[in-house]
Amino acid sequence: MTGRRRYDDPCGIARALDAVGERWALLVVRELLFGPKRFAALSRGLPGMSQNVLSQRLRDLEEGGIVHRRTLGPPASTRVYELTPRGRELEPVLLALAEWGRKSPLGAHDTEMSVDAMMLALRTTFDPTAAHGLDVRVALRFDDDLFVAEIRSGHLHIARADEPVRADATFDTDVATLRSLVFGRSSLPANPPFLQGAPDLAARFLACFSGPQPAAPADTSH
């Protein structure tokens, strides 16, 4: 990380920010939580970030031992970026930040959430009480991105899938539509073209997530 400004503070928080405190760095980590990605896929998930800045952040994260590059074997034979074991240790940090951030007012945005950000939002807002008694496997397809979400015994597991999987219900949609169904509490229409499988299980799956939390009122007692 030669040339970067450092806090010169022995506190663990300061040392952590030396590694991932630069603008966009943690969002790059977010995009890699569910598995390796090519540079172009990372860029699509972070449309507000220039490719030059993305290249620099990837170099910074590589130097910090948080991200590394590898080449996939044939037939792909393409270079991808993925988290190192040290990088994966940031997962609970990002989940805690996402939970904390949900309490901030949600204003207007020019861009939609990335697919990986939406998957992280599902993990953050999962309500085990609402999932009581539900065992379901749901496939979530967004163009070239495919994820499998499983709810078993009150626990949610989400993973990226490389090929089609058997599921109780399959959503073939976009992030805006899924976000509206999950957090906007839009009703699942009858025979929606983006859903295959059991609509009753799909509806129960959508109801297992809580909406954005209102911001805490300001303390005016002083």
Side-chain angles (χ1 to χ4, degrees):
M1 300 186 188
T2 305
R4 293 180 56 195
R5 297 181 63 181
R6 302 175 66 90
Y7 287 98
D8 192 25
D9 184 328
C11 167
I13 296 173
R15 285 149 55 200
L17 290 174
D18 281 340
V20 293
E22 291 288 332
R23 180 173 169 83
W24 296 106
L26 281 178
L27 295 187
V28 173
V29 175
R30 179 197 72 190
E31 291 297 303
L32 294 172
L33 280 179
F34 293 97
K37 279 188 170 185
R38 292 175 297 175
F39 183 92
L42 279 169
S43 185
R44 284 196 302 271
L46 298 162
M49 185 183 192
S50 73
Q51 292 192 353
N52 285 340
V53 173
L54 176 56
S55 295
Q56 182 60 57
R57 290 297 166 271
L58 287 169
R59 284 194 294 270
D60 294 341
L61 293 169
E62 282 187 90
E63 290 176 13
I66 296 163
V67 167
H68 74 98
R69 284 176 289 177
R70 69 180 175 91
T71 301
L72 297 177
S77 296
T78 187
R79 190 169 65 177
V80 296
Y81 294 87
E82 65 182 356
L83 296 178
T84 64
R86 176 169 167 77
R88 294 217 59 85
E89 291 175 358
L90 286 165
E91 183 171 356
V93 176
L94 287 178
L95 289 171
L97 275 174
E99 182 64 31
W100 184 79
R102 291 178 63 214
K103 301 179 178 68
S104 300
L106 182 62
H109 296 274
D110 294 331
T111 59
E112 185 52 84
M113 299 175 82
S114 73
V115 173
D116 291 76
M118 183 65 198
M119 296 301 100
L120 193 64
L122 292 181
R123 289 192 54 190
T124 305
T125 60
F126 176 66
D127 181 1
T129 303
H132 179 71
L134 178 63
D135 285 339
V136 67
R137 171 186 275 194
V138 175
L140 303 165
R141 180 182 293 280
F142 310 89
D143 293 328
D144 294 331
D145 286 299
L146 176 64
F147 293 82
V148 178
E150 291 190 80
I151 296 176
R152 302 279 185 243
S153 303
H155 296 278
L156 171 69
H157 177 71
I158 300 178
R160 193 185 302 276
D162 296 325
E163 55 187 32
V165 296
R166 297 185 62 179
D168 300 301
T170 299
F171 287 88
D172 194 341
T173 185
D174 54 49
V175 170
T177 299
L178 184 65
R179 188 160 70 95
S180 176
L181 289 168
V182 174
F183 303 126
R185 291 295 183 241
S186 299
S187 299
L188 189 65
N191 303 315
F194 55 78
L195 176 66
Q196 296 178 346
D200 55 334
L201 289 176
R204 283 210 60 192
F205 172 80
L206 294 173
C208 289
F209 308 92
S210 58
Q213 297 179 0
D219 185 356
T220 59
S221 61
H222 299 289

